[in-house]
Amino acid sequence: MNTKYIFVTGGVVSGLGKGITAASLGRLLKNRGYKVTIQKFDPYINVDPGTMSPYEHGEVFVTDDGAETDLDLGHYERFINENLTQNSSISMGKIYNSVIEKERRGDFLGKTVQVIPHITNEIKEKIYGFENADIDIVITEIGGTVGDIEGLSIIEAIRQVGLEKPATDVLYIHVTLLPYIHGSNEVKSKPTQHSVKELQSLGIKPDIIVCRTEREITSELRDKLSLFCNVRKTSVIQNLTVENLYEVPLMFEREGLAKEVCSHLNLSNIEEKNERWEKMIQDIKNISSENVNIAIVGKYTRLEDSYLSVIESIKHAGYKNGLGVKIKLIDSEKITRENVNEYMKGIDAVIVPGRLWCERYRGND
């Protein structure tokens, strides 16, 4: 079959869970037997996150081929169980760097180099980079929020993909926010309406809206979102808070996200095969009350995301062994020979991520 393309954009505010939405959808499609990969486009001008402070952008996730990438790739790999590559993490810095190198070599034969078509063509080249691989579906997350000036060329490129490929090979998902106002006891749809309007003004009509919400979406609110955002009622998908991050795919399954995607893309295999994932969630919920206390000693402990993959790996080890895990982050610049015993009180094991290793700790238990 033709390679299918799914684009995940975000609106209203950042941090709504575009990465988890993309990863969860990837898992549901893999559970239906499709070969899936995921990539992330980030609008910043840094070539990659490798030189960025973790306080700026969280951890740097390193792929098997040595690429220093966005932390969302860690979520992708954990959810879809595939090793990703440097083509799965693309920044605008990398795009501009590549275009400028081509211009210096004379590849454009003296033409004026412009955002359209040169930058957008470079973006599309990265999107289409999986076509010769054994991949059925490419899920592409677009970093940032719709309307941000630095992300406009990415939005333009994915709009062009929708024109270049058959309608049944391209799907747009927009992740947005439905805020709950305590004073009036209402879930408000206006921010979502404006976000969808902004996306439409850039030439993209979302096929599915994933709504981050703290309250259940009523039938009346779904009708309203369907009417004013120009999507089918069944394409309004609620994204509620769950107890464990890995429950999100099953929540989306119940919401009908995968079925909507399969319907739009004319995917014939729509049978649910989530038994192993359901068992994993049940095993997590049945973990004993016994806890293992793990200390992570690092330089960037003020932000937990700085060591996200390490933390998730520890949690997974706990899940596998039926144990709860409590993690304590310790600032390496505060621990000394004099206070080390105080910091290590009640700790069963210590992990020092990366290359952090100080001579003053050598020889200490």
PDB file of all heavy atoms in Angstrom, residues 15-37:
ATOM      1  N   GLY A  15       2.560  21.877  25.826  1.00  0.00           N
ATOM      2  CA  GLY A  15       2.486  20.903  26.905  1.00  0.00           C
ATOM      3  C   GLY A  15       1.179  20.159  27.009  1.00  0.00           C
ATOM      4  O   GLY A  15       0.826  19.650  28.085  1.00  0.00           O
ATOM      5  N   LEU A  16       0.431  20.067  25.906  1.00  0.00           N
ATOM      6  CA  LEU A  16      -0.858  19.376  25.935  1.00  0.00           C
ATOM      7  C   LEU A  16      -0.739  17.870  25.697  1.00  0.00           C
ATOM      8  O   LEU A  16      -1.714  17.144  25.853  1.00  0.00           O
ATOM      9  CB  LEU A  16      -1.799  19.973  24.890  1.00  0.00           C
ATOM     10  CG  LEU A  16      -2.261  21.404  25.139  1.00  0.00           C
ATOM     11  CD1 LEU A  16      -3.183  21.863  24.015  1.00  0.00           C
ATOM     12  CD2 LEU A  16      -2.958  21.524  26.481  1.00  0.00           C
ATOM     13  N   GLY A  17       0.448  17.418  25.278  1.00  0.00           N
ATOM     14  CA  GLY A  17       0.631  15.982  25.071  1.00  0.00           C
ATOM     15  C   GLY A  17       0.598  15.554  23.627  1.00  0.00           C
ATOM     16  O   GLY A  17       0.119  14.453  23.326  1.00  0.00           O
ATOM     17  N   LYS A  18       1.102  16.400  22.711  1.00  0.00           N
ATOM     18  CA  LYS A  18       1.164  15.980  21.304  1.00  0.00           C
ATOM     19  C   LYS A  18       2.029  14.735  21.155  1.00  0.00           C
ATOM     20  O   LYS A  18       1.693  13.821  20.401  1.00  0.00           O
ATOM     21  CB  LYS A  18       1.751  17.093  20.426  1.00  0.00           C
ATOM     22  CG  LYS A  18       0.940  18.345  20.322  1.00  0.00           C
ATOM     23  CD  LYS A  18       1.453  19.251  19.203  1.00  0.00           C
ATOM     24  CE  LYS A  18       2.932  19.574  19.325  1.00  0.00           C
ATOM     25  NZ  LYS A  18       3.238  20.402  20.518  1.00  0.00           N
ATOM     26  N   GLY A  19       3.160  14.715  21.869  1.00  0.00           N
ATOM     27  CA  GLY A  19       4.068  13.578  21.754  1.00  0.00           C
ATOM     28  C   GLY A  19       3.438  12.286  22.231  1.00  0.00           C
ATOM     29  O   GLY A  19       3.589  11.239  21.587  1.00  0.00           O
ATOM     30  N   ILE A  20       2.727  12.338  23.356  1.00  0.00           N
ATOM     31  CA  ILE A  20       2.061  11.135  23.877  1.00  0.00           C
ATOM     32  C   ILE A  20       0.904  10.735  22.966  1.00  0.00           C
ATOM     33  O   ILE A  20       0.637   9.545  22.760  1.00  0.00           O
ATOM     34  CB  ILE A  20       1.553  11.384  25.316  1.00  0.00           C
ATOM     35  CG1 ILE A  20       2.743  11.687  26.234  1.00  0.00           C
ATOM     36  CG2 ILE A  20       0.780  10.177  25.821  1.00  0.00           C
ATOM     37  CD1 ILE A  20       3.775  10.579  26.299  1.00  0.00           C
ATOM     38  N   THR A  21       0.215  11.719  22.388  1.00  0.00           N
ATOM     39  CA  THR A  21      -0.851  11.414  21.429  1.00  0.00           C
ATOM     40  C   THR A  21      -0.282  10.675  20.225  1.00  0.00           C
ATOM     41  O   THR A  21      -0.828   9.651  19.796  1.00  0.00           O
ATOM     42  CB  THR A  21      -1.548  12.706  20.971  1.00  0.00           C
ATOM     43  OG1 THR A  21      -2.157  13.346  22.095  1.00  0.00           O
ATOM     44  CG2 THR A  21      -2.610  12.410  19.919  1.00  0.00           C
ATOM     45  N   ALA A  22       0.818  11.192  19.673  1.00  0.00           N
ATOM     46  CA  ALA A  22       1.453  10.546  18.517  1.00  0.00           C
ATOM     47  C   ALA A  22       1.943   9.151  18.871  1.00  0.00           C
ATOM     48  O   ALA A  22       1.730   8.188  18.115  1.00  0.00           O
ATOM     49  CB  ALA A  22       2.608  11.409  18.015  1.00  0.00           C
ATOM     50  N   ALA A  23       2.595   9.023  20.020  1.00  0.00           N
ATOM     51  CA  ALA A  23       3.132   7.726  20.436  1.00  0.00           C
ATOM     52  C   ALA A  23       2.015   6.721  20.700  1.00  0.00           C
ATOM     53  O   ALA A  23       2.116   5.542  20.334  1.00  0.00           O
ATOM     54  CB  ALA A  23       3.996   7.900  21.682  1.00  0.00           C
ATOM     55  N   SER A  24       0.934   7.177  21.332  1.00  0.00           N
ATOM     56  CA  SER A  24      -0.196   6.279  21.638  1.00  0.00           C
ATOM     57  C   SER A  24      -0.872   5.799  20.361  1.00  0.00           C
ATOM     58  O   SER A  24      -1.220   4.616  20.233  1.00  0.00           O
ATOM     59  CB  SER A  24      -1.208   7.000  22.532  1.00  0.00           C
ATOM     60  OG  SER A  24      -0.631   7.358  23.763  1.00  0.00           O
ATOM     61  N   LEU A  25      -1.066   6.721  19.413  1.00  0.00           N
ATOM     62  CA  LEU A  25      -1.654   6.330  18.130  1.00  0.00           C
ATOM     63  C   LEU A  25      -0.742   5.345  17.412  1.00  0.00           C
ATOM     64  O   LEU A  25      -1.220   4.365  16.816  1.00  0.00           O
ATOM     65  CB  LEU A  25      -1.891   7.566  17.269  1.00  0.00           C
ATOM     66  CG  LEU A  25      -2.446   7.313  15.863  1.00  0.00           C
ATOM     67  CD1 LEU A  25      -3.772   6.553  15.921  1.00  0.00           C
ATOM     68  CD2 LEU A  25      -2.613   8.628  15.101  1.00  0.00           C
ATOM     69  N   GLY A  26       0.562   5.583  17.479  1.00  0.00           N
ATOM     70  CA  GLY A  26       1.507   4.648  16.871  1.00  0.00           C
ATOM     71  C   GLY A  26       1.369   3.246  17.450  1.00  0.00           C
ATOM     72  O   GLY A  26       1.396   2.255  16.725  1.00  0.00           O
ATOM     73  N   ARG A  27       1.202   3.163  18.769  1.00  0.00           N
ATOM     74  CA  ARG A  27       1.025   1.855  19.415  1.00  0.00           C
ATOM     75  C   ARG A  27      -0.269   1.181  18.952  1.00  0.00           C
ATOM     76  O   ARG A  27      -0.278  -0.014  18.638  1.00  0.00           O
ATOM     77  CB  ARG A  27       1.034   2.055  20.927  1.00  0.00           C
ATOM     78  CG  ARG A  27       0.583   0.865  21.780  1.00  0.00           C
ATOM     79  CD  ARG A  27       1.133  -0.471  21.329  1.00  0.00           C
ATOM     80  NE  ARG A  27       2.594  -0.507  21.265  1.00  0.00           N
ATOM     81  CZ  ARG A  27       3.291  -1.536  20.781  1.00  0.00           C
ATOM     82  NH1 ARG A  27       2.654  -2.595  20.289  1.00  0.00           N
ATOM     83  NH2 ARG A  27       4.608  -1.508  20.744  1.00  0.00           N
ATOM     84  N   LEU A  28      -1.363   1.933  18.883  1.00  0.00           N
ATOM     85  CA  LEU A  28      -2.640   1.345  18.470  1.00  0.00           C
ATOM     86  C   LEU A  28      -2.583   0.847  17.032  1.00  0.00           C
ATOM     87  O   LEU A  28      -3.160  -0.201  16.702  1.00  0.00           O
ATOM     88  CB  LEU A  28      -3.766   2.378  18.618  1.00  0.00           C
ATOM     89  CG  LEU A  28      -4.072   2.836  20.055  1.00  0.00           C
ATOM     90  CD1 LEU A  28      -5.166   3.894  20.049  1.00  0.00           C
ATOM     91  CD2 LEU A  28      -4.473   1.653  20.927  1.00  0.00           C
ATOM     92  N   LEU A  29      -1.883   1.584  16.157  1.00  0.00           N
ATOM     93  CA  LEU A  29      -1.760   1.144  14.762  1.00  0.00           C
ATOM     94  C   LEU A  29      -0.826  -0.060  14.638  1.00  0.00           C
ATOM     95  O   LEU A  29      -1.061  -0.956  13.837  1.00  0.00           O
ATOM     96  CB  LEU A  29      -1.267   2.306  13.899  1.00  0.00           C
ATOM     97  CG  LEU A  29      -2.258   3.477  13.754  1.00  0.00           C
ATOM     98  CD1 LEU A  29      -1.605   4.655  13.052  1.00  0.00           C
ATOM     99  CD2 LEU A  29      -3.510   3.032  12.995  1.00  0.00           C
ATOM    100  N   LYS A  30       0.225  -0.086  15.451  1.00  0.00           N
ATOM    101  CA  LYS A  30       1.101  -1.265  15.467  1.00  0.00           C
ATOM    102  C   LYS A  30       0.348  -2.488  15.961  1.00  0.00           C
ATOM    103  O   LYS A  30       0.548  -3.599  15.456  1.00  0.00           O
ATOM    104  CB  LYS A  30       2.318  -1.017  16.361  1.00  0.00           C
ATOM    105  CG  LYS A  30       3.476  -0.312  15.685  1.00  0.00           C
ATOM    106  CD  LYS A  30       4.792  -0.585  16.375  1.00  0.00           C
ATOM    107  CE  LYS A  30       5.264  -2.014  16.144  1.00  0.00           C
ATOM    108  NZ  LYS A  30       6.595  -2.272  16.700  1.00  0.00           N
ATOM    109  N   ASN A  31      -0.526  -2.285  16.935  1.00  0.00           N
ATOM    110  CA  ASN A  31      -1.323  -3.394  17.449  1.00  0.00           C
ATOM    111  C   ASN A  31      -2.300  -3.924  16.407  1.00  0.00           C
ATOM    112  O   ASN A  31      -2.856  -5.017  16.570  1.00  0.00           O
ATOM    113  CB  ASN A  31      -2.098  -2.965  18.694  1.00  0.00           C
ATOM    114  CG  ASN A  31      -1.198  -2.852  19.910  1.00  0.00           C
ATOM    115  OD1 ASN A  31      -0.020  -3.189  19.870  1.00  0.00           O
ATOM    116  ND2 ASN A  31      -1.741  -2.357  21.012  1.00  0.00           N
ATOM    117  N   ARG A  32      -2.512  -3.169  15.352  1.00  0.00           N
ATOM    118  CA  ARG A  32      -3.345  -3.626  14.241  1.00  0.00           C
ATOM    119  C   ARG A  32      -2.508  -4.225  13.116  1.00  0.00           C
ATOM    120  O   ARG A  32      -3.040  -4.547  12.056  1.00  0.00           O
ATOM    121  CB  ARG A  32      -4.198  -2.460  13.731  1.00  0.00           C
ATOM    122  CG  ARG A  32      -5.365  -2.116  14.646  1.00  0.00           C
ATOM    123  CD  ARG A  32      -5.931  -0.737  14.356  1.00  0.00           C
ATOM    124  NE  ARG A  32      -7.239  -0.560  14.966  1.00  0.00           N
ATOM    125  CZ  ARG A  32      -7.467  -0.321  16.244  1.00  0.00           C
ATOM    126  NH1 ARG A  32      -6.440  -0.211  17.069  1.00  0.00           N
ATOM    127  NH2 ARG A  32      -8.693  -0.172  16.722  1.00  0.00           N
ATOM    128  N   GLY A  33      -1.214  -4.326  13.323  1.00  0.00           N
ATOM    129  CA  GLY A  33      -0.352  -5.009  12.369  1.00  0.00           C
ATOM    130  C   GLY A  33       0.361  -4.112  11.378  1.00  0.00           C
ATOM    131  O   GLY A  33       1.029  -4.604  10.461  1.00  0.00           O
ATOM    132  N   TYR A  34       0.248  -2.782  11.549  1.00  0.00           N
ATOM    133  CA  TYR A  34       0.905  -1.874  10.604  1.00  0.00           C
ATOM    134  C   TYR A  34       2.320  -1.537  11.065  1.00  0.00           C
ATOM    135  O   TYR A  34       2.606  -1.500  12.261  1.00  0.00           O
ATOM    136  CB  TYR A  34       0.072  -0.595  10.440  1.00  0.00           C
ATOM    137  CG  TYR A  34      -1.260  -0.841   9.787  1.00  0.00           C
ATOM    138  CD1 TYR A  34      -2.437  -0.845  10.526  1.00  0.00           C
ATOM    139  CD2 TYR A  34      -1.339  -1.124   8.423  1.00  0.00           C
ATOM    140  CE1 TYR A  34      -3.665  -1.096   9.932  1.00  0.00           C
ATOM    141  CE2 TYR A  34      -2.564  -1.379   7.822  1.00  0.00           C
ATOM    142  CZ  TYR A  34      -3.721  -1.365   8.582  1.00  0.00           C
ATOM    143  OH  TYR A  34      -4.932  -1.632   7.984  1.00  0.00           O
ATOM    144  N   LYS A  35       3.183  -1.276  10.079  1.00  0.00           N
ATOM    145  CA  LYS A  35       4.561  -0.874  10.378  1.00  0.00           C
ATOM    146  C   LYS A  35       4.594   0.638  10.490  1.00  0.00           C
ATOM    147  O   LYS A  35       4.303   1.349   9.527  1.00  0.00           O
ATOM    148  CB  LYS A  35       5.498  -1.378   9.278  1.00  0.00           C
ATOM    149  CG  LYS A  35       5.530  -2.905   9.189  1.00  0.00           C
ATOM    150  CD  LYS A  35       6.302  -3.385   7.974  1.00  0.00           C
ATOM    151  CE  LYS A  35       6.249  -4.910   7.883  1.00  0.00           C
ATOM    152  NZ  LYS A  35       6.892  -5.405   6.646  1.00  0.00           N
ATOM    153  N   VAL A  36       4.955   1.104  11.685  1.00  0.00           N
ATOM    154  CA  VAL A  36       4.809   2.516  12.016  1.00  0.00           C
ATOM    155  C   VAL A  36       6.158   3.107  12.431  1.00  0.00           C
ATOM    156  O   VAL A  36       6.961   2.446  13.093  1.00  0.00           O
ATOM    157  CB  VAL A  36       3.801   2.692  13.175  1.00  0.00           C
ATOM    158  CG1 VAL A  36       3.667   4.157  13.563  1.00  0.00           C
ATOM    159  CG2 VAL A  36       2.442   2.113  12.798  1.00  0.00           C
ATOM    160  N   THR A  37       6.388   4.341  12.036  1.00  0.00           N
ATOM    161  CA  THR A  37       7.495   5.113  12.586  1.00  0.00           C
ATOM    162  C   THR A  37       6.977   6.506  12.926  1.00  0.00           C
ATOM    163  O   THR A  37       5.921   6.926  12.439  1.00  0.00           O
ATOM    164  CB  THR A  37       8.689   5.192  11.613  1.00  0.00           C
ATOM    165  OG1 THR A  37       9.834   5.676  12.335  1.00  0.00           O
ATOM    166  CG2 THR A  37       8.401   6.120  10.446  1.00  0.00           C
TER     167      THR A  37
END
